[in-house]
Amino acid sequence: MQSTYKIAILDMNEGVPNEGMRCIKMLVGQFLAQEGIKGNFDVFEVRVKGEIPKLDKYNIYISSGGPGSPKLTGSQWEKDYFNLIDSILSQNLFKHQKKHLFLICHSFQLACLHWDIAKVTKRRSTSFGILPIHKTENGFNEPLFEGLKDPFYAVDSRDYQVVMPKEWKLNSLEGNILCREKIRPDVPLERAVMAIRFTKEIFGTQFHPEADAEGMTRYFQQEEKRALVIKKYGKKKYLSMINQLNDDDKILRTNSIIIPRFLEMAAEKIKQSKLASV
């Protein structure tokens, strides 16, 4: 029996044009184009249009990054979004057919706040660039990180950070802290959490595993973006980013491993679940 994979992409960008959504759709499209894979994806504009997918219509969800503060405002889209991720969590705890969810950056922060997994605080300064991500002990055993070095590299762009995780809550869900931000021996502050496996089916990253070199290069070579980065971070930072974009061991590797493997593993579990229920 062939499984059909219905994928919901939750656009959290609040109408702001970005490369992240293009990258997510490309990775999902590549997955669905594989021989033996049957399915489709739909995009939902969550923050502007309040679009939320029906739980019973999709079995894989990817929730994007986005601009602005993750601090909760009580808006209707927040309530609807949290109802969705709560429903996914509840279904996975109590029902045989599981739903698989990947949370990126802004979505990751929202989930940490909503589920009270950690504190989300404003950074003293923006973290921006292609930066090293360091695995924790549990990170070395994480299947989605297999093939990534320690540290591995990813695009990081955030004004907020996830800190002070409540690991006992994650333990109750069989979850783990998987990696932290770059080591800063001269900064007497806690290193932020950069990835969490919330449950067997729910995974989140603070960084952007979807980012690809082609899109990021095109984005940062736009005169307006180039001038903005140089003004804010300096020419040295800008040139370093451009050089790292085409390094096979940096975001090219991260892009080719984490989300593709999440999709492959989710598909295999959905297939096994369907076979077991026949």
Side-chain angles (χ1 to χ4, degrees):
M1 179 184 293
Q2 187 178 38
S3 297
T4 300
Y5 306 109
K6 301 280 288 180
I7 303 174
I9 299 175
L10 307 178
D11 185 347
M12 304 292 282
N13 287 284
E14 207 171 25
V16 177
N18 69 97
E19 285 291 320
M21 281 299 296
R22 180 193 61 81
C23 294
I24 292 170
K25 287 188 280 188
M26 185 176 70
L27 289 169
V28 169
Q30 289 171 350
F31 164 74
L32 292 171
Q34 293 178 88
E35 186 176 352
I37 297 292
K38 180 183 177 183
N40 66 283
F41 72 86
D42 295 306
V43 178
F44 295 84
E45 216 317 334
V46 177
R47 295 172 70 181
V48 173
K49 297 182 181 179
E51 297 174 345
I52 297 289
K54 300 282 188 185
L55 185 68
D56 61 348
K57 299 293 185 185
Y58 299 88
N59 43 28
I60 301 175
Y61 301 78
I62 299 179
S63 190
S64 81
S69 168
K71 299 299 183 179
L72 308 184
T73 64
S75 61
Q76 187 59 48
W77 75 260
E78 287 176 347
K79 295 173 185 177
D80 294 340
Y81 179 78
F82 292 142
N83 182 60
L84 173 67
I85 66 172
D86 283 345
S87 297
I88 292 171
L89 180 61
S90 179
Q91 165 125 353
N92 292 344
L93 290 172
F94 300 112
K95 295 189 179 181
H96 181 67
Q97 298 291 341
K98 310 298 185 185
K99 308 287 183 178
H100 300 265
L101 170 63
F102 197 109
L103 301 150
I104 299 171
C105 196
H106 192 84
S107 297
F108 172 73
Q109 294 170 354
L110 288 174
C112 287
L113 279 174
H114 178 64
W115 287 330
D116 193 28
I117 294 295
K119 289 187 177 297
V120 179
T121 63
K122 194 151 199 281
R123 291 177 54 85
R124 290 199 303 194
S125 61
T126 301
S127 180
F128 179 78
I130 298 170
L131 301 176
I133 313 292
H134 295 263
K135 297 178 185 178
T136 64
E137 184 176 346
N138 288 314
F140 283 97
N141 299 316
E142 171 52 53
L144 297 193
F145 290 165
E146 188 177 332
L148 294 175
K149 298 179 179 180
D150 183 52
F152 61 93
Y153 286 79
V155 171
D156 191 23
S157 178
R158 61 195 163 90
D159 292 315
Y160 290 82
Q161 59 186 353
V162 172
V163 292
M164 299 174 65
K166 298 178 181 177
E167 296 197 48
W168 63 271
K169 280 195 171 184
L170 286 172
N171 291 339
S172 70
L173 296 169
E174 299 184 63
N176 290 298
I177 306 296
L178 299 175
C179 51
R180 292 184 180 272
E181 68 181 342
K182 63 183 180 181
I183 297 171
R184 302 170 298 169
D186 55 326
V187 179
L189 297 173
E190 179 184 358
R191 289 163 62 212
V193 173
M194 296 301 286
I196 294 175
R197 178 165 287 286
F198 294 91
T199 71
K200 290 179 180 178
E201 299 83 18
I202 301 176
F203 191 92
T205 64
Q206 176 65 84
F207 56 89
H208 288 269
E210 78 278 17
D212 69 354
E214 177 192 348
M216 295 299 291
T217 300
R218 184 170 58 248
Y219 180 79
F220 285 116
Q221 285 182 340
Q222 295 175 34
E223 186 57 41
E224 179 187 350
K225 303 301 180 187
R226 179 180 181 275
L228 189 64
V229 172
I230 290 174
K231 180 179 179 181
K232 193 167 184 180
Y233 302 102
K235 190 171 183 179
K236 184 177 179 182
K237 177 85 164 184
Y238 174 81
L239 292 174
S240 172
M241 282 181 56
I242 294 298
N243 288 334
Q244 290 183 84
L245 282 171
N246 296 301
D247 186 329
D248 288 347
D249 269 346
K250 293 203 164 63
I251 72 166
L252 288 171
R253 181 179 294 270
T254 302
N255 167 269
S256 70
I257 289 177
I258 296 180
I259 291 179
R261 188 164 295 155
F262 166 78
L263 291 168
E264 289 164 8
M265 291 179 66
E268 184 59 30
K269 289 176 182 176
I270 291 165
K271 181 180 176 182
Q272 290 173 359
S273 178
K274 184 162 283 192
L275 288 172
S277 65
V278 173

